[in-house]
Amino acid sequence: MDGVTATGIRAHARIVARADGRGGTALPVLEGEGPLAPRRTRSSGSEAKVMLVGAMSGPLGGDRFTLGVRVEEGARLHVGSAAATLALPGQAEGEARYDVRLDVADGGELHWMPEQLISAEGSELYVTTRVEAGAGARLVLREEQVLGRVGERPGRLTSRLTVRAGGRTVLDQELACGLGAPGGWDGPAVLAGHRAVGQLVVVRPEFAERPVEARALGACAAVVPLAGPAALVSAVAPDALRLRRLLDEALTGLG
Amino acid sequence: MSRAALLVLADGRFPAGGHAHSGGAEAAVKAGRITDAATLEEFCRGRLHTAGLVAGALAAAAALGADPGELDAAADARTPSPALRTAARRLGRQLLRAARSTWPSSELDALAREFPKGAHQPVVLGLAARAAGLGPEDAAHCAAYESVSGPATATVRLLSLDPFDATGALARLAPELDRVADRAVAAARRVRAEGADALPAASGPLLEVGAEWHAAWPVRLFAS
Amino acid sequence: MHLGHTHDGPAAVSADARRPDGTRRALRVGLGGPVGSGKTATVAALCRALRAELSLAVVTNDIYTREDAEFLLREAVLPPERISAVETGACPHTAIRDDISANLEAVEDLEDTVGPLDLILVESGGDNLTATFSKGLVDAQIFVIDVAGGDDIPRKGGPGVTTADLLVVNKTDLAPYVGSDLARMSADAREQRAGLPVVFQSLRGGDGVADVAAWVRGRLAAWTA
């Protein structure tokens, strides 16, 4: 941590996963501090598991967090988080930023499954997630946003998710919602009163040859093939619990 | 530059296939999310700031001469729903036919050769504007306007809505539409230096999800 | 129309008589007329009558997506790849007259996917008496009315009745039951149409669709001449 400044906290975390040559995955780099503390937990088989433990609440207004994960060839990594991330208003001026960069090499596999991001009333957060997946990389990425705690109006949350797979951008989506977001964000074209919204991106090399079949799961969720070796589950729901259920079911359906 | 050329291109009767598409309104009506003029306006507002902004920026970038292939790939990445990608390419192909006949141009012919099955409609729209002697501001306005005029017209048919109410909603959106077009052009001007990543990627989850739901219906009035 | 334009472009723009590779494209015949007059039944009968001698395909324009296409598929008058449905956004007359772009895509796609065709029938969704096909889309059009819709329709005229290249008065077998005067319909039609042909037919008996099929053969002979 670079310390607390008038412009908020700057925090950085880095994880590198590398095949250990014995069929397992080593973590030669596992660093981070304060609000972004990665901890290695029990591995299962060849997969290393890391839990992000938030030692402080955050991000607050003016904070700037960056998180980089690199999964090298043949390594398998699962990243989760111990609790939901709560975006809160802060003392410092301006929006908070949270930039996540995930690199998965050819033959690497990453499960990026953090808990929800909750946009509390009065908060202002811009979060970007950028994925670079190599030609033979495998990825499961879950992203869930909850607009406001129970009974609370949402803060302003803007979230951009960019996924590159095999050298081309297969998904580039930005969702802006909450107080001060461009008009219509809670209307019938965008969220229509739903307070939880999520995406699940699955990259598998075999999808290039055999893309998933597009399927609507009612009027609030769909599984779609992207223009590349990837599939997307997109869903809106009244609350976090029902959103998770939709995404879990859809992921199971992808086999 | 001819202002009247913009009127020709933006005319709802320009024969480029738009009349058969509802811009997601048919799905939103069936889901009970559009029920009257007020909910139509809110739908259009949301579509304007998401799909409309992206379409406006793609069209403006094409009008500025950015590589159509790169823009088309950027449109794919910003359109996760395959039903919407198909509709956008079909409309692009129809628009290209109309534009090549209306404003013959070697750039439009080259686009037809590169994309025999159609490029994303906003990309074609930008090149059509270019062929008509129009600029990026015109292209962005045209794309942003189409993002709301289509659903408004469709909802008049779907709900037997008073057409004056629907037109009134469009008129109230006009100042926001100007701002969206400005943002679109500003982003498009950055494409030359920064590439297609500079284009906005604003999305409406229910537009994407609704399009897949709609595509699966056995009976519907509109193609999308 | 763009007949006589050069043909080295990447794709045809409108009603070019030749395909981009220089070969002559299929003759396109439109069938329009009011709801329930028997357009789809006539298309089905034409397919059965002509499919052995001609390579043909059908484009339907439905109010509701694919209804007429589904009927033709169920009746198995043509293999499914030769039947294409255009979605019309609740305005079938727009798709055949004011904005023909989707139909042009459909006819060109059929020629591209099922190979050289002699004839493409473009069926309009059921509409009113004013609906006619654009000359940018079809080379000839047939307007189908029926005796049960009222024997005053020919007298009333309208663009379909007066200008169609062929007027078909369908369901003549029903005339005694609905009190329609066929002689009067015939006289009115001839007066309205200034010498353009009229066919009275019943698909349930007599020669069925034979007269219409003969007329189509004549148009095709003129097209390929």
Side-chain angles (χ1 to χ4, degrees):
Chain A
M1 187 163 27
D2 296 332
V4 181
T5 68
T7 53
I9 294 172
R10 288 174 182 274
H12 184 63
R14 225 155 57 91
I15 305 168
V16 175
R18 186 171 295 160
D20 64 6
R22 302 185 304 275
T25 297
L27 298 174
V29 178
L30 186 68
E31 58 187 40
E33 68 279 272
L36 288 179
R39 301 272 181 270
R40 181 162 194 163
T41 62
R42 191 172 46 85
S43 301
S44 61
S46 58
E47 184 183 67
K49 284 199 161 171
V50 168
M51 194 68 89
L52 292 168
V53 182
M56 301 161 63
S57 71
L60 312 181
D63 288 356
R64 191 184 166 107
F65 296 178
T66 55
L67 198 156
V69 176
R70 195 171 86 228
V71 179
E72 298 183 352
E73 193 175 336
R76 297 181 65 214
L77 175 66
H78 180 114
V79 181
S81 66
T85 301
L86 186 60
L88 290 165
Q91 302 287 329
E93 285 292 310
E95 65 179 12
R97 267 197 79 127
Y98 191 172
D99 295 308
V100 176
R101 169 76 196 227
L102 310 173
D103 286 285
V104 190
D106 188 8
E109 179 167 354
L110 172 65
H111 284 240
W112 177 254
M113 310 289 271
E115 293 302 305
Q116 298 86 355
L117 173 61
I118 303 170
S119 170
E121 186 166 357
S123 68
E124 253 184 274
L125 175 64
Y126 185 53
V127 50
T128 69
T129 305
R130 196 175 167 86
V131 181
E132 187 80 45
R138 301 173 78 83
L139 168 82
V140 178
L141 176 152
R142 184 180 66 208
E143 187 186 87
E144 298 163 302
Q145 283 127 21
V146 179
L147 308 187
R149 290 168 292 195
V150 176
E152 175 186 69
R153 289 187 305 172
R156 172 153 185 187
L157 177 63
T158 309
S159 167
R160 186 155 182 170
L161 172 61
T162 310
V163 180
R164 288 176 57 78
R168 70 174 289 177
T169 307
V170 297
L171 180 68
D172 199 346
Q173 292 269 273
E174 182 172 289
L175 177 66
C177 45
L179 204 66
W185 67 268
D186 206 19
V190 186
L191 292 178
H194 293 90
R195 283 293 168 266
V197 52
Q199 311 196 82
L200 196 70
V201 182
V202 181
V203 177
R204 290 178 191 163
E206 58 265 31
F207 284 161
E209 300 292 319
R210 290 184 308 279
V212 301
E213 211 164 294
R215 189 158 56 92
L217 313 167
C220 290
V223 183
V224 294
L226 298 175
L232 172 76
V233 182
S234 185
V236 298
D239 56 51
L241 198 65
R242 274 177 277 192
L243 176 66
R244 177 64 61 87
R245 206 178 295 146
L246 269 171
L247 294 180
D248 281 351
E249 277 172 20
L251 183 59
T252 308
L254 286 174
Chain B
M1 188 193 296
S2 157
R3 179 175 286 176
L6 175 59
L7 298 179
V8 175
L9 182 60
D11 190 332
R13 286 164 297 187
F14 192 76
H19 70 96
H21 294 258
S22 80
E26 186 169 28
V29 165
K30 186 154 181 177
R33 294 177 191 138
I34 298 178
T35 54
D36 54 15
T39 44
L40 168 64
E41 183 171 335
E42 208 46 20
F43 176 88
C44 288
R45 183 169 282 113
R47 192 161 195 260
L48 172 66
H49 287 288
T50 54
L53 173 66
V54 173
L58 287 165
L64 283 165
D67 173 37
E70 196 186 334
L71 296 177
D72 189 74
D76 261 352
R78 286 157 178 75
T79 317
S81 155
L84 289 183
R85 291 199 295 271
T86 301
R89 287 186 187 285
R90 196 179 291 166
L91 282 169
R93 188 175 162 198
Q94 289 175 242
L95 175 59
L96 186 55
R97 175 192 296 277
R100 285 177 59 218
S101 181
T102 311
W103 295 288
S105 112
S106 58
E107 283 186 347
L108 292 176
D109 288 350
L111 187 69
R113 265 187 294 269
E114 191 179 347
F115 292 96
K117 292 292 170 193
H120 277 260
Q121 194 267 4
V123 180
V124 181
L125 182 63
L127 278 175
R130 198 172 152 87
L134 296 165
E137 292 81 7
D138 303 307
H141 269 94
C142 198
Y145 180 65
E146 280 183 2
S147 77
V148 293
S149 62
T153 312
T155 304
V156 167
R157 293 185 209 160
L158 289 163
L159 287 178
S160 302
L161 201 68
D162 184 336
F164 299 127
D165 288 343
T167 306
L170 292 179
R172 277 189 297 279
L173 286 169
E176 277 176 76
L177 201 149
D178 287 336
R179 288 196 293 276
V180 164
D182 288 345
R183 279 185 65 193
V185 173
R189 290 196 189 282
R190 290 167 45 207
V191 168
R192 185 186 294 260
E194 299 169 40
D197 281 357
L199 294 167
S203 68
L206 283 173
L207 287 177
E208 299 287 333
V209 168
E212 290 304 319
W213 184 52
H214 181 265
W217 300 354
V219 171
R220 54 180 190 255
L221 281 174
F222 290 88
S224 75
Chain C
M1 295 248 279
H2 296 255
L3 295 169
H5 271 197
T6 55
H7 302 287
D8 53 355
V13 168
S14 191
D16 296 322
R18 293 186 184 279
R19 305 175 62 209
D21 63 7
T23 57
R24 178 173 285 271
R25 65 160 170 80
L27 176 74
R28 300 173 190 158
V29 175
L31 287 97
V35 177
S37 63
K39 293 182 296 299
T40 308
T42 300
V43 166
L46 275 174
C47 289
R48 289 192 194 96
L50 298 170
R51 65 191 175 194
E53 60 194 273
L54 300 176
S55 177
L56 71 152
V58 174
V59 176
T60 63
N61 283 263
D62 290 310
I63 301 176
Y64 282 98
T65 311
R66 299 198 60 86
E67 292 266 304
D68 290 341
E70 300 290 349
F71 174 83
L72 295 172
L73 287 169
R74 272 197 311 278
E75 295 284 301
V77 296
L78 288 178
E81 67 274 14
R82 287 174 180 260
I83 300 170
S84 175
V86 166
E87 294 157 310
T88 62
C91 277
H93 58 271
T94 305
I96 60 161
R97 186 184 57 202
D98 309 299
D99 182 351
I100 57 175
S101 54
N103 270 292
L104 287 170
E105 305 290 330
V107 295
E108 285 172 13
D109 280 347
L110 280 168
E111 286 204 84
D112 285 347
T113 52
V114 297
L117 293 168
D118 301 307
L119 173 68
I120 300 178
L121 301 173
V122 183
E123 184 193 340
S124 161
D127 212 307
N128 56 44
L129 294 172
T130 65
T132 51
F133 285 84
S134 164
K135 288 176 179 159
L137 175 61
V138 300
D139 305 296
Q141 51 190 306
I142 301 172
F143 200 72
V144 183
I145 60 173
D146 72 299
V147 301
D151 61 5
D152 56 346
I153 288 181
R155 184 180 54 75
K156 286 179 178 167
V161 167
T162 56
T163 66
D165 300 289
L166 178 69
L167 178 68
V168 174
V169 182
N170 198 21
K171 307 185 191 175
T172 51
D173 52 311
L174 296 181
Y177 306 104
V178 296
S180 284
D181 181 345
L182 293 180
R184 179 182 149 200
M185 290 184 88
S186 176
D188 288 346
R190 277 171 223 298
E191 185 162 320
Q192 290 279 3
R193 290 176 51 75
L196 288 167
V198 183
V199 164
F200 282 74
Q201 76 171 16
S202 164
L203 296 173
R204 291 166 164 244
D207 293 334
V209 81
D211 287 347
V212 178
W215 180 86
V216 170
R217 284 191 197 96
R219 296 298 300 217
L220 194 60
W223 173 252
T224 50

